[in-house]
Amino acid sequence: MNSELGIVPDSSARAASGPAPGRLRSASARAMRRPGIDYDGVPGSLREGVVEPGDSEYLAVSSNYLRGGAPGIVLRPETPGQVADALAFARRHTHLPLGVRSAGHGVSGRSTNDGGVVIDVGRMNRIEVLDRDRRLIRIGPGATWKQVAAALDPYGWALGSGDYGGVGVGGLATAGGIGLLGRAHGLTIDHLRAVDLVLADGSQARASAEENPELFWAVRGAGANFGVVTAFEFEVYDVAEVGWAKLTLVSDDIEKSLLRFGEVATGAPRDTTVFLVTGRPRQGRSIVQLFAIVDSPDPAVVAERLTPFLDLGALAQQEVFVTRYRDIMGQAHDVGPDGHQGRGEPVSRSAFLPAITPEYARDTAELLRSGRVHFFELRPMGGAIADVPAGETAFAHRTPAFQVTAMGADQVDLNARWDALADHFDGLYLSFDTDRRPERLDEAFPPPVLERLRELKRRYDPHNLFRDNFNIDPRTGHEAVGAGRTGRNS
Ligand SMILES: Cc1cc2nc3c(=O)[nH]c(=O)nc-3n(C[C@H](O)[C@H](O)[C@H](O)COP(=O)(O)OP(=O)(O)OC[C@H]3O[C@@H](n4cnc5c(N)ncnc54)[C@H](O)[C@@H]3O)c2cc1C
């Protein structure tokens, strides 16, 4: 024993039956361990990658992109078998929070916590082509969309994701994926053909239209409740060069600009998807940023599609290129060895919007003028997103014209302001909402969808292991769901 140096072998290593030796941890490192965690009981297959609060890598794995965290232990499995081992460990720690992390860009999905367990599958990030003729690819959950776009580009393929290439496959492809190719090609989940997952009991399952079809339905919109996805198989599509634009306009009348955006964005051909971002007006003026993809390599088409959006204000800056989807996703920063640097808690609300009516534009302009929202985004839907029947995936909100997100600094204040807009909304996209009041679940899933998900949750996760992201509690009865609010936040 080398206890004079203050270093003792991790006793889990002494007890190891597997090949991994376990790390040496100093007494001071061990003193930083959090209560309620059986550190010495970490399965042998995971000992090499495990990170504890006293370890030098700890700060690099404790927070995510938007959120600070201080988990008690981070397990980093690299194979489905190791994920099963991690879940066995998590099942012995249900008194603590459990976070599942792929690339750490969760907003609703916490993927970190204070004193709990995190299962980080970020190292499972392989991207491979399974069948070139069918354009079938297989991706690990830890890959980022930037990496996916770069891997597909040499084949002339793409797979629409979101607007930021740093986001992970695991979180986005279990929720929906409303992105800049959305109107042209649909949601990311619309191209999913199969997933491999490890279920709450540690068993490995495959879900597709043929195998476990109910689970496959559930994973496409409510995946975080059903298991840890260890591989996604997608059928991707040909995408040549596309038109890409970042336009900055100055609006003297944000109410009028929002209304005009509603008309132009919904009237645009489906090859055109334009996201609008704005914030608090200053001295009566709003900076309106538009991020656009036109799925055409023809500069004349790109210019024609974008010109109507110039009605929204005075053009202050423009960047318009014909480029590759890879290069658009490639603008995201890489996460360095120091990991994510999120601090505190993001404060965000989300909704689906059937239409931008004059009343909605008026009320939203007032919200923006309150100065309590620093980030506001409208994402047009429709097009190929609406081609998919509502019953086909657990993501059931196929008909709204827009998805809308607002971020503030104070959850209670933002809730009050957002709830006041509820009559304009019809449901919410579960990736962008940090409000934890239970009625959010009823907005994310229409009543028959929620009921079907709850039945499946009883079958696949009866003890509610996966509960950190829009938790569908299997123990709640139908009557309680019915008693909650449905659809609207009235
Ligand atoms: C800057 C930014 C831009 C974004 N843009 C878009 C956008 O344009 N369109 C869009 O649709 N969304 C967008 N999002 C939302 C994003 O899709 C979700 O936050 C998503 O969950 C992030 O995935 P991740 O793997 O990076 O996150 P993580 O933080 O790793 O995970 C988030 C949650 O997803 C679940 N999860 C993660 N991995 C798995 C897995 N392997 N199996 C099962 N469940 C898992 C867990 O519940 C976890 O808490 C954006 C988010 C950010 C921060």
Side-chain angles (χ1 to χ4, degrees):
M1 288 286 282
N2 41 10
S3 51
E4 296 96 333
L5 296 173
I7 298 174
V8 290
D10 185 342
S11 60
S12 59
R14 287 198 299 272
S17 52
R23 300 184 191 190
L24 297 179
R25 289 192 167 86
S26 68
S28 59
R30 289 167 67 89
M32 294 173 78
R33 289 177 163 182
R34 304 289 296 266
I37 297 180
D38 177 16
Y39 288 96
D40 295 343
V42 170
S45 70
L46 298 168
R47 274 181 211 142
E48 198 135 306
V50 71
V51 184
E52 300 184 9
D55 293 346
S56 56
E57 311 100 296
Y58 180 71
L59 283 180
V61 298
S62 51
S63 295
N64 69 21
Y65 182 73
L66 289 174
R67 178 177 280 112
I73 190 164
V74 179
L75 304 170
R76 296 188 291 178
E78 297 186 40
T79 64
Q82 291 177 7
V83 172
D85 291 345
L87 289 175
F89 187 82
R91 285 196 302 276
R92 292 196 284 113
H93 292 81
T94 50
H95 53 288
L96 297 174
L98 169 65
V100 175
R101 182 186 303 159
S102 285
H105 280 68
V107 184
S108 315
R110 265 69 189 167
S111 76
T112 188
N113 52 49
D114 184 8
V117 177
V118 169
I119 299 177
D120 182 336
V121 293
R123 291 169 166 192
M124 301 175 76
N125 60 358
R126 195 180 153 93
I127 304 168
E128 54 189 317
V129 175
L130 293 181
D131 183 332
R132 198 168 172 155
D133 292 339
R134 288 182 56 205
R135 295 187 300 255
L136 204 59
I137 63 160
R138 184 175 166 90
I139 317 178
T144 64
W145 291 105
K146 170 180 177 171
Q147 292 165 341
V148 174
L152 299 187
D153 184 73
Y155 300 89
W157 303 336
L159 172 58
S161 44
D163 58 0
Y164 188 65
V167 168
V169 171
L172 183 137
T174 45
I178 304 174
L180 287 162
L181 287 172
R183 300 184 78 245
H185 296 282
L187 300 175
T188 307
I189 56 169
D190 298 339
H191 303 275
L192 194 55
R193 297 294 173 259
V195 287
D196 289 343
L197 345 71
V198 184
L199 301 173
D201 65 2
S203 60
Q204 294 178 32
R206 185 172 169 82
S208 67
E210 292 78 34
E211 297 164 84
N212 299 307
E214 280 286 280
L215 187 57
F216 188 50
W217 170 82
V219 164
R220 290 173 295 162
N225 264 282
F226 289 93
V228 179
V229 178
T230 55
F232 296 83
E233 291 176 15
F234 290 99
E235 189 177 325
V236 298
Y237 34 87
D238 292 325
V239 173
E241 290 188 312
V242 296
W244 159 244
K246 269 202 268 185
L247 307 177
T248 304
L249 301 117
V250 180
S251 165
D252 290 332
D253 184 344
I254 190 63
E255 181 178 335
K256 210 165 122 202
S257 300
L258 290 172
L259 202 53
R260 182 70 185 134
F261 179 69
E263 290 159 7
V264 179
T266 50
R270 62 168 59 195
D271 59 12
T272 301
T273 306
V274 181
F275 289 1
L276 177 150
V277 174
T278 190
R280 171 187 178 184
R282 302 205 181 248
Q283 292 158 352
R285 293 185 153 179
S286 296
I287 304 295
V288 174
Q289 289 188 296
L290 301 179
F291 300 88
I293 285 188
V294 179
D295 188 11
S296 167
D298 181 345
V301 172
V302 175
E304 183 195 316
R305 299 291 195 259
L306 295 178
T307 300
F309 290 91
L310 300 181
D311 287 359
L312 268 62
L315 185 63
Q317 262 181 0
Q318 56 169 315
E319 287 174 44
V320 186
F321 301 102
V322 171
T323 184
R324 319 254 348 148
Y325 186 68
R326 170 201 65 197
D327 296 331
I328 301 167
M329 289 296 106
Q331 293 174 11
H333 299 295
D334 288 317
V335 179
D338 292 341
H340 290 300
Q341 303 297 316
R343 293 285 172 269
E345 275 288 309
V347 171
S348 183
R349 292 301 306 272
S350 150
F352 288 120
L353 190 62
I356 297 183
T357 60
E359 296 75 23
Y360 174 74
R362 178 199 63 208
D363 292 351
T364 296
E366 198 181 314
L367 171 75
L368 293 167
R369 282 193 292 264
S370 76
R372 306 305 293 260
V373 165
H374 61 257
F375 175 89
F376 173 87
E377 183 165 33
L378 279 163
R379 292 159 192 257
M381 296 172 60
I385 296 173
D387 290 346
V388 176
E392 201 153 305
T393 60
F395 179 109
H397 295 282
R398 293 286 175 171
T399 53
F402 296 93
Q403 187 272 323
V404 53
T405 304
M407 300 186 85
D410 177 333
Q411 190 77 58
V412 174
D413 176 76
L414 184 62
N415 285 350
R417 294 173 194 279
W418 201 248
D419 291 354
L421 299 175
D423 282 346
H424 300 298
F425 299 148
D426 187 9
L428 66 77
Y429 179 41
L430 58 69
S431 279
F432 288 121
D433 211 298
T434 56
D435 179 18
R436 294 191 112 164
R437 288 175 293 169
E439 53 266 43
R440 297 293 82 77
L441 198 62
D442 298 318
E443 292 163 9
F445 304 109
V449 173
L450 183 55
E451 192 155 322
R452 189 171 162 192
L453 286 169
R454 208 181 295 279
E455 284 295 332
L456 289 166
K457 182 81 172 173
R458 288 192 186 107
R459 194 187 322 162
Y460 288 106
D461 185 14
H463 303 296
N464 206 18
L465 188 66
F466 302 113
R467 61 192 179 283
D468 205 31
N469 186 357
F470 273 78
N471 183 212
I472 300 162
D473 189 334
R475 292 161 300 198
T476 309
H478 297 166
E479 53 299 330
V481 175
R485 296 181 202 176
T486 55
R488 283 164 192 266
N489 197 7
S490 53

